[in-house]
mmCIF file of all heavy atoms in Angstrom:
data_model
loop_
_atom_site.group_PDB
_atom_site.id
_atom_site.type_symbol
_atom_site.label_atom_id
_atom_site.label_comp_id
_atom_site.label_asym_id
_atom_site.label_seq_id
_atom_site.Cartn_x
_atom_site.Cartn_y
_atom_site.Cartn_z
ATOM 1 N N TYR A 1 0.856 -1.210 0.004
ATOM 2 C CA TYR A 1 0.014 -0.003 -0.005
ATOM 3 C C TYR A 1 0.860 1.248 0.033
ATOM 4 O O TYR A 1 1.948 1.275 0.561
ATOM 5 C CB TYR A 1 -0.924 0.045 1.248
ATOM 6 C CG TYR A 1 -1.900 -1.050 1.294
ATOM 7 C CD1 TYR A 1 -1.703 -2.267 2.018
ATOM 8 C CD2 TYR A 1 -3.144 -0.964 0.624
ATOM 9 C CE1 TYR A 1 -2.614 -3.261 2.019
ATOM 10 C CE2 TYR A 1 -4.066 -1.942 0.680
ATOM 11 C CZ TYR A 1 -3.793 -3.121 1.391
ATOM 12 O OH TYR A 1 -4.730 -4.124 1.441
ATOM 13 N N ALA A 2 0.301 2.288 -0.600
ATOM 14 C CA ALA A 2 0.955 3.601 -0.506
ATOM 15 C C ALA A 2 0.793 4.104 0.981
ATOM 16 O O ALA A 2 -0.205 3.922 1.571
ATOM 17 C CB ALA A 2 0.282 4.590 -1.445
ATOM 18 N N ASP A 3 1.863 4.724 1.445
ATOM 19 C CA ASP A 3 1.887 5.184 2.835
ATOM 20 C C ASP A 3 0.770 6.252 3.096
ATOM 21 O O ASP A 3 0.291 6.382 4.240
ATOM 22 C CB ASP A 3 3.210 5.790 3.155
ATOM 23 C CG ASP A 3 4.317 4.740 3.222
ATOM 24 O OD1 ASP A 3 4.015 3.571 3.375
ATOM 25 O OD2 ASP A 3 5.509 5.101 3.011
ATOM 26 N N SER A 4 0.378 6.981 2.071
ATOM 27 C CA SER A 4 -0.488 8.074 2.287
ATOM 28 C C SER A 4 -1.984 7.677 2.510
ATOM 29 O O SER A 4 -2.801 8.483 2.841
ATOM 30 C CB SER A 4 -0.511 8.974 0.969
ATOM 31 O OG SER A 4 -0.898 8.228 -0.149
ATOM 32 N N LEU A 5 -2.319 6.396 2.414
ATOM 33 C CA LEU A 5 -3.680 5.947 2.507
ATOM 34 C C LEU A 5 -4.165 5.849 3.925
ATOM 35 O O LEU A 5 -5.406 5.794 4.124
ATOM 36 C CB LEU A 5 -3.875 4.615 1.847
ATOM 37 C CG LEU A 5 -3.576 4.531 0.309
ATOM 38 C CD1 LEU A 5 -3.738 3.133 -0.174
ATOM 39 C CD2 LEU A 5 -4.513 5.510 -0.421
ATOM 40 N N ASP A 6 -3.334 5.783 4.889
ATOM 41 C CA ASP A 6 -3.754 5.751 6.313
ATOM 42 C C ASP A 6 -4.662 4.557 6.586
ATOM 43 O O ASP A 6 -5.522 4.661 7.450
ATOM 44 C CB ASP A 6 -4.418 7.062 6.734
ATOM 45 C CG ASP A 6 -3.492 8.260 6.632
ATOM 46 O OD1 ASP A 6 -2.287 8.091 6.830
ATOM 47 O OD2 ASP A 6 -3.983 9.350 6.292
ATOM 48 N N GLY A 7 -4.455 3.505 5.918
ATOM 49 C CA GLY A 7 -5.188 2.242 6.217
ATOM 50 C C GLY A 7 -6.623 2.300 5.748
ATOM 51 O O GLY A 7 -7.408 1.428 6.134
ATOM 52 N N ARG A 8 -7.007 3.254 4.910
ATOM 53 C CA ARG A 8 -8.420 3.355 4.500
ATOM 54 C C ARG A 8 -8.746 2.459 3.334
ATOM 55 O O ARG A 8 -9.898 2.203 3.054
ATOM 56 C CB ARG A 8 -8.687 4.795 4.046
ATOM 57 C CG ARG A 8 -8.514 5.782 5.258
ATOM 58 C CD ARG A 8 -8.871 7.201 4.844
ATOM 59 N NE ARG A 8 -7.990 7.764 3.790
ATOM 60 C CZ ARG A 8 -8.357 8.064 2.572
ATOM 61 N NH1 ARG A 8 -9.613 7.905 2.187
ATOM 62 N NH2 ARG A 8 -7.456 8.538 1.705
ATOM 63 N N PHE A 9 -7.740 1.966 2.566
ATOM 64 C CA PHE A 9 -8.006 1.114 1.401
ATOM 65 C C PHE A 9 -7.462 -0.280 1.687
ATOM 66 O O PHE A 9 -6.548 -0.469 2.388
ATOM 67 C CB PHE A 9 -7.284 1.744 0.171
ATOM 68 C CG PHE A 9 -7.806 3.009 -0.356
ATOM 69 C CD1 PHE A 9 -8.720 3.769 0.375
ATOM 70 C CD2 PHE A 9 -7.366 3.537 -1.551
ATOM 71 C CE1 PHE A 9 -9.212 4.983 -0.079
ATOM 72 C CE2 PHE A 9 -7.884 4.683 -2.057
ATOM 73 C CZ PHE A 9 -8.781 5.443 -1.354
ATOM 74 N N SER A 10 -8.155 -1.201 1.026
ATOM 75 C CA SER A 10 -7.730 -2.623 1.174
ATOM 76 C C SER A 10 -7.842 -3.335 -0.161
ATOM 77 O O SER A 10 -8.912 -3.231 -0.837
ATOM 78 C CB SER A 10 -8.690 -3.318 2.235
ATOM 79 O OG SER A 10 -8.355 -4.672 2.290
ATOM 80 N N ILE A 11 -6.843 -4.036 -0.575
ATOM 81 C CA ILE A 11 -6.850 -4.767 -1.819
ATOM 82 C C ILE A 11 -6.991 -6.215 -1.537
ATOM 83 O O ILE A 11 -6.465 -6.753 -0.589
ATOM 84 C CB ILE A 11 -5.574 -4.471 -2.625
ATOM 85 C CG1 ILE A 11 -5.648 -5.070 -4.053
ATOM 86 C CG2 ILE A 11 -4.335 -5.000 -1.917
ATOM 87 C CD1 ILE A 11 -4.526 -4.592 -4.966
ATOM 88 N N SER A 12 -7.726 -6.927 -2.399
ATOM 89 C CA SER A 12 -7.911 -8.339 -2.220
ATOM 90 C C SER A 12 -8.155 -8.981 -3.601
ATOM 91 O O SER A 12 -8.394 -8.241 -4.587
ATOM 92 C CB SER A 12 -9.079 -8.683 -1.292
ATOM 93 O OG SER A 12 -10.294 -8.177 -1.811
ATOM 94 N N ARG A 13 -8.131 -10.243 -3.662
ATOM 95 C CA ARG A 13 -8.383 -10.913 -4.950
ATOM 96 C C ARG A 13 -9.078 -12.234 -4.744
ATOM 97 O O ARG A 13 -8.925 -12.899 -3.705
ATOM 98 C CB ARG A 13 -7.064 -11.178 -5.712
ATOM 99 C CG ARG A 13 -6.094 -12.113 -5.173
ATOM 100 C CD ARG A 13 -4.755 -12.055 -5.942
ATOM 101 N NE ARG A 13 -4.908 -12.357 -7.317
ATOM 102 C CZ ARG A 13 -4.011 -12.004 -8.250
ATOM 103 N NH1 ARG A 13 -2.981 -11.283 -7.934
ATOM 104 N NH2 ARG A 13 -4.244 -12.318 -9.537
ATOM 105 N N ASP A 14 -9.919 -12.570 -5.715
ATOM 106 C CA ASP A 14 -10.556 -13.884 -5.786
ATOM 107 C C ASP A 14 -10.041 -14.584 -6.952
ATOM 108 O O ASP A 14 -10.486 -14.341 -8.058
ATOM 109 C CB ASP A 14 -12.085 -13.626 -5.804
ATOM 110 C CG ASP A 14 -12.885 -15.002 -5.824
ATOM 111 O OD1 ASP A 14 -12.290 -16.015 -6.187
ATOM 112 O OD2 ASP A 14 -14.067 -14.904 -5.428
ATOM 113 N N ASN A 15 -9.105 -15.438 -6.783
ATOM 114 C CA ASN A 15 -8.428 -16.078 -7.928
ATOM 115 C C ASN A 15 -9.371 -17.084 -8.612
ATOM 116 O O ASN A 15 -9.232 -17.320 -9.830
ATOM 117 C CB ASN A 15 -7.162 -16.817 -7.507
ATOM 118 C CG ASN A 15 -5.978 -15.826 -7.397
ATOM 119 O OD1 ASN A 15 -6.056 -14.736 -7.951
ATOM 120 N ND2 ASN A 15 -4.929 -16.250 -6.752
ATOM 121 N N ALA A 16 -10.330 -17.592 -7.918
ATOM 122 C CA ALA A 16 -11.286 -18.489 -8.551
ATOM 123 C C ALA A 16 -12.107 -17.721 -9.562
ATOM 124 O O ALA A 16 -12.435 -18.276 -10.640
ATOM 125 C CB ALA A 16 -12.205 -19.148 -7.502
ATOM 126 N N LYS A 17 -12.459 -16.474 -9.281
ATOM 127 C CA LYS A 17 -13.239 -15.632 -10.178
ATOM 128 C C LYS A 17 -12.328 -14.731 -11.048
ATOM 129 O O LYS A 17 -12.782 -14.082 -11.931
ATOM 130 C CB LYS A 17 -14.252 -14.780 -9.421
ATOM 131 C CG LYS A 17 -15.296 -15.570 -8.658
ATOM 132 C CD LYS A 17 -16.218 -14.624 -7.946
ATOM 133 C CE LYS A 17 -17.328 -15.462 -7.185
ATOM 134 N NZ LYS A 17 -18.207 -14.546 -6.450
ATOM 135 N N ASN A 18 -11.041 -14.732 -10.709
ATOM 136 C CA ASN A 18 -10.057 -13.855 -11.392
ATOM 137 C C ASN A 18 -10.503 -12.411 -11.335
ATOM 138 O O ASN A 18 -10.490 -11.670 -12.365
ATOM 139 C CB ASN A 18 -9.939 -14.330 -12.883
ATOM 140 C CG ASN A 18 -8.596 -14.037 -13.454
ATOM 141 O OD1 ASN A 18 -7.648 -13.752 -12.689
ATOM 142 N ND2 ASN A 18 -8.468 -14.131 -14.732
ATOM 143 N N ILE A 19 -10.818 -11.955 -10.136
ATOM 144 C CA ILE A 19 -11.192 -10.583 -9.919
ATOM 145 C C ILE A 19 -10.356 -10.017 -8.760
ATOM 146 O O ILE A 19 -10.071 -10.723 -7.770
ATOM 147 C CB ILE A 19 -12.714 -10.455 -9.531
ATOM 148 C CG1 ILE A 19 -13.622 -10.971 -10.717
ATOM 149 C CG2 ILE A 19 -13.041 -9.023 -9.217
ATOM 150 C CD1 ILE A 19 -15.036 -10.960 -10.381
ATOM 151 N N VAL A 20 -9.957 -8.780 -8.966
ATOM 152 C CA VAL A 20 -9.202 -8.033 -7.913
ATOM 153 C C VAL A 20 -10.124 -6.877 -7.438
ATOM 154 O O VAL A 20 -10.749 -6.243 -8.240
ATOM 155 C CB VAL A 20 -7.871 -7.528 -8.437
ATOM 156 C CG1 VAL A 20 -7.172 -6.664 -7.426
ATOM 157 C CG2 VAL A 20 -7.009 -8.689 -8.864
ATOM 158 N N TYR A 21 -10.148 -6.693 -6.154
ATOM 159 C CA TYR A 21 -10.989 -5.699 -5.550
ATOM 160 C C TYR A 21 -10.129 -4.592 -4.863
ATOM 161 O O TYR A 21 -9.031 -4.863 -4.309
ATOM 162 C CB TYR A 21 -11.928 -6.297 -4.519
ATOM 163 C CG TYR A 21 -12.816 -7.310 -5.090
ATOM 164 C CD1 TYR A 21 -12.574 -8.712 -4.883
ATOM 165 C CD2 TYR A 21 -13.979 -6.956 -5.721
ATOM 166 C CE1 TYR A 21 -13.396 -9.657 -5.380
ATOM 167 C CE2 TYR A 21 -14.852 -7.966 -6.259
ATOM 168 C CZ TYR A 21 -14.540 -9.308 -6.087
ATOM 169 O OH TYR A 21 -15.371 -10.233 -6.562
ATOM 170 N N LEU A 22 -10.636 -3.427 -4.826
ATOM 171 C CA LEU A 22 -10.075 -2.311 -3.995
ATOM 172 C C LEU A 22 -11.239 -1.817 -3.145
ATOM 173 O O LEU A 22 -12.103 -1.098 -3.715
ATOM 174 C CB LEU A 22 -9.444 -1.236 -4.890
ATOM 175 C CG LEU A 22 -8.792 -0.122 -4.076
ATOM 176 C CD1 LEU A 22 -7.531 -0.628 -3.378
ATOM 177 C CD2 LEU A 22 -8.383 1.053 -5.010
ATOM 178 N N GLN A 23 -11.214 -2.084 -1.922
ATOM 179 C CA GLN A 23 -12.210 -1.532 -0.968
ATOM 180 C C GLN A 23 -11.695 -0.176 -0.438
ATOM 181 O O GLN A 23 -10.542 -0.095 0.084
ATOM 182 C CB GLN A 23 -12.406 -2.501 0.206
ATOM 183 C CG GLN A 23 -13.331 -1.994 1.278
ATOM 184 C CD GLN A 23 -14.772 -1.897 0.755
ATOM 185 O OE1 GLN A 23 -15.259 -2.798 0.025
ATOM 186 N NE2 GLN A 23 -15.482 -0.871 1.145
ATOM 187 N N MET A 24 -12.483 0.803 -0.609
ATOM 188 C CA MET A 24 -12.090 2.165 -0.202
ATOM 189 C C MET A 24 -13.124 2.693 0.825
ATOM 190 O O MET A 24 -14.310 2.824 0.534
ATOM 191 C CB MET A 24 -12.037 3.130 -1.437
ATOM 192 C CG MET A 24 -11.176 2.597 -2.558
ATOM 193 S SD MET A 24 -11.043 3.769 -3.887
ATOM 194 C CE MET A 24 -12.710 3.767 -4.535
ATOM 195 N N ASP A 25 -12.616 2.993 2.021
ATOM 196 C CA ASP A 25 -13.433 3.418 3.101
ATOM 197 C C ASP A 25 -13.033 4.865 3.521
ATOM 198 O O ASP A 25 -11.947 5.304 3.233
ATOM 199 C CB ASP A 25 -13.330 2.526 4.303
ATOM 200 C CG ASP A 25 -13.826 1.066 3.981
ATOM 201 O OD1 ASP A 25 -14.892 0.934 3.245
ATOM 202 O OD2 ASP A 25 -13.188 0.131 4.383
ATOM 203 N N ASN A 26 -13.973 5.520 4.206
ATOM 204 C CA ASN A 26 -13.741 6.846 4.758
ATOM 205 C C ASN A 26 -13.147 7.747 3.650
ATOM 206 O O ASN A 26 -12.099 8.418 3.813
ATOM 207 C CB ASN A 26 -12.804 6.798 5.919
ATOM 208 C CG ASN A 26 -12.709 8.117 6.668
ATOM 209 O OD1 ASN A 26 -13.600 8.952 6.583
ATOM 210 N ND2 ASN A 26 -11.632 8.273 7.419
ATOM 211 N N LEU A 27 -13.839 7.811 2.546
ATOM 212 C CA LEU A 27 -13.289 8.516 1.360
ATOM 213 C C LEU A 27 -13.338 10.013 1.624
ATOM 214 O O LEU A 27 -14.183 10.570 2.328
ATOM 215 C CB LEU A 27 -14.169 8.217 0.135
ATOM 216 C CG LEU A 27 -13.848 6.819 -0.473
ATOM 217 C CD1 LEU A 27 -14.962 6.381 -1.411
ATOM 218 C CD2 LEU A 27 -12.525 6.841 -1.197
ATOM 219 N N LYS A 28 -12.321 10.682 1.056
ATOM 220 C CA LYS A 28 -12.082 12.131 1.236
ATOM 221 C C LYS A 28 -12.105 12.746 -0.177
ATOM 222 O O LYS A 28 -11.921 12.075 -1.199
ATOM 223 C CB LYS A 28 -10.730 12.342 1.846
ATOM 224 C CG LYS A 28 -10.542 11.636 3.186
ATOM 225 C CD LYS A 28 -9.129 11.847 3.726
ATOM 226 C CE LYS A 28 -8.952 11.161 5.099
ATOM 227 N NZ LYS A 28 -7.580 11.384 5.647
ATOM 228 N N PRO A 29 -12.374 14.027 -0.190
ATOM 229 C CA PRO A 29 -12.400 14.745 -1.525
ATOM 230 C C PRO A 29 -11.098 14.517 -2.322
ATOM 231 O O PRO A 29 -11.138 14.443 -3.546
ATOM 232 C CB PRO A 29 -12.582 16.232 -1.108
ATOM 233 C CG PRO A 29 -13.307 16.181 0.172
ATOM 234 C CD PRO A 29 -12.755 14.931 0.884
ATOM 235 N N GLU A 30 -9.950 14.423 -1.634
ATOM 236 C CA GLU A 30 -8.682 14.275 -2.331
ATOM 237 C C GLU A 30 -8.536 12.848 -2.913
ATOM 238 O O GLU A 30 -7.558 12.556 -3.642
ATOM 239 C CB GLU A 30 -7.469 14.522 -1.342
ATOM 240 C CG GLU A 30 -7.523 13.783 -0.031
ATOM 241 C CD GLU A 30 -8.147 14.688 1.042
ATOM 242 O OE1 GLU A 30 -9.138 15.362 0.790
ATOM 243 O OE2 GLU A 30 -7.622 14.577 2.174
ATOM 244 N N ASP A 31 -9.505 11.980 -2.628
ATOM 245 C CA ASP A 31 -9.471 10.643 -3.304
ATOM 246 C C ASP A 31 -10.083 10.711 -4.689
ATOM 247 O O ASP A 31 -10.081 9.689 -5.422
ATOM 248 C CB ASP A 31 -10.191 9.612 -2.437
ATOM 249 C CG ASP A 31 -9.553 9.363 -1.127
ATOM 250 O OD1 ASP A 31 -8.303 9.246 -1.096
ATOM 251 O OD2 ASP A 31 -10.216 9.292 -0.088
ATOM 252 N N THR A 32 -10.701 11.828 -5.049
ATOM 253 C CA THR A 32 -11.307 11.998 -6.379
ATOM 254 C C THR A 32 -10.196 11.852 -7.448
ATOM 255 O O THR A 32 -9.192 12.501 -7.403
ATOM 256 C CB THR A 32 -11.935 13.389 -6.505
ATOM 257 O OG1 THR A 32 -13.047 13.416 -5.572
ATOM 258 C CG2 THR A 32 -12.406 13.642 -7.885
ATOM 259 N N ALA A 33 -10.439 10.909 -8.351
ATOM 260 C CA ALA A 33 -9.401 10.605 -9.317
ATOM 261 C C ALA A 33 -9.965 9.590 -10.313
ATOM 262 O O ALA A 33 -11.002 8.961 -10.029
ATOM 263 C CB ALA A 33 -8.092 10.071 -8.659
ATOM 264 N N VAL A 34 -9.181 9.375 -11.367
ATOM 265 C CA VAL A 34 -9.453 8.161 -12.213
ATOM 266 C C VAL A 34 -8.612 7.027 -11.651
ATOM 267 O O VAL A 34 -7.388 7.193 -11.456
ATOM 268 C CB VAL A 34 -9.105 8.508 -13.697
ATOM 269 C CG1 VAL A 34 -9.292 7.253 -14.538
ATOM 270 C CG2 VAL A 34 -9.915 9.655 -14.200
ATOM 271 N N TYR A 35 -9.222 5.919 -11.437
ATOM 272 C CA TYR A 35 -8.525 4.775 -10.860
ATOM 273 C C TYR A 35 -8.320 3.755 -11.936
ATOM 274 O O TYR A 35 -9.195 3.400 -12.758
ATOM 275 C CB TYR A 35 -9.416 4.174 -9.738
ATOM 276 C CG TYR A 35 -9.320 5.014 -8.476
ATOM 277 C CD1 TYR A 35 -9.971 6.233 -8.387
ATOM 278 C CD2 TYR A 35 -8.634 4.573 -7.353
ATOM 279 C CE1 TYR A 35 -9.885 7.004 -7.249
ATOM 280 C CE2 TYR A 35 -8.534 5.357 -6.189
ATOM 281 C CZ TYR A 35 -9.152 6.564 -6.170
ATOM 282 O OH TYR A 35 -9.078 7.313 -5.018
ATOM 283 N N TYR A 36 -7.110 3.198 -11.957
ATOM 284 C CA TYR A 36 -6.677 2.229 -12.896
ATOM 285 C C TYR A 36 -6.220 0.926 -12.253
ATOM 286 O O TYR A 36 -5.518 0.968 -11.210
ATOM 287 C CB TYR A 36 -5.472 2.747 -13.725
ATOM 288 C CG TYR A 36 -5.693 3.992 -14.512
ATOM 289 C CD1 TYR A 36 -5.514 5.267 -13.925
ATOM 290 C CD2 TYR A 36 -6.099 3.948 -15.805
ATOM 291 C CE1 TYR A 36 -5.726 6.412 -14.643
ATOM 292 C CE2 TYR A 36 -6.304 5.132 -16.595
ATOM 293 C CZ TYR A 36 -6.099 6.347 -15.958
ATOM 294 O OH TYR A 36 -6.331 7.520 -16.666
ATOM 295 N N CYS A 37 -6.614 -0.191 -12.841
ATOM 296 C CA CYS A 37 -5.991 -1.434 -12.390
ATOM 297 C C CYS A 37 -4.964 -1.860 -13.434
ATOM 298 O O CYS A 37 -5.035 -1.464 -14.602
ATOM 299 C CB CYS A 37 -7.018 -2.538 -12.167
ATOM 300 S SG CYS A 37 -7.795 -3.218 -13.625
ATOM 301 N N ALA A 38 -4.011 -2.653 -12.994
ATOM 302 C CA ALA A 38 -2.915 -3.049 -13.855
ATOM 303 C C ALA A 38 -2.423 -4.490 -13.414
ATOM 304 O O ALA A 38 -2.581 -4.843 -12.288
ATOM 305 C CB ALA A 38 -1.757 -2.086 -13.760
#
């Protein structure tokens, strides 16, 4: 994780479904952005 997130985001994956998730909690205006997976 990036240090700046303060523990608000969590990444996980379900390999059976081949999906990756990004759980974002306590969102702030500065989280406004285009989000990319890679």
Side-chain angles (χ1 to χ4, degrees):
Y1 295 96
D3 292 338
S4 60
L5 297 178
D6 297 326
R8 297 182 297 115
F9 292 12
S10 176
I11 189 170
S12 62
R13 67 189 300 158
D14 183 335
N15 278 346
K17 297 180 179 179
N18 210 13
I19 298 177
V20 176
Y21 300 101
L22 182 69
Q23 177 67 40
M24 305 185 293
D25 297 319
N26 190 21
L27 284 162
K28 304 176 180 180
E30 52 264 41
D31 295 317
T32 295
V34 177
Y35 284 71
Y36 299 88
C37 71

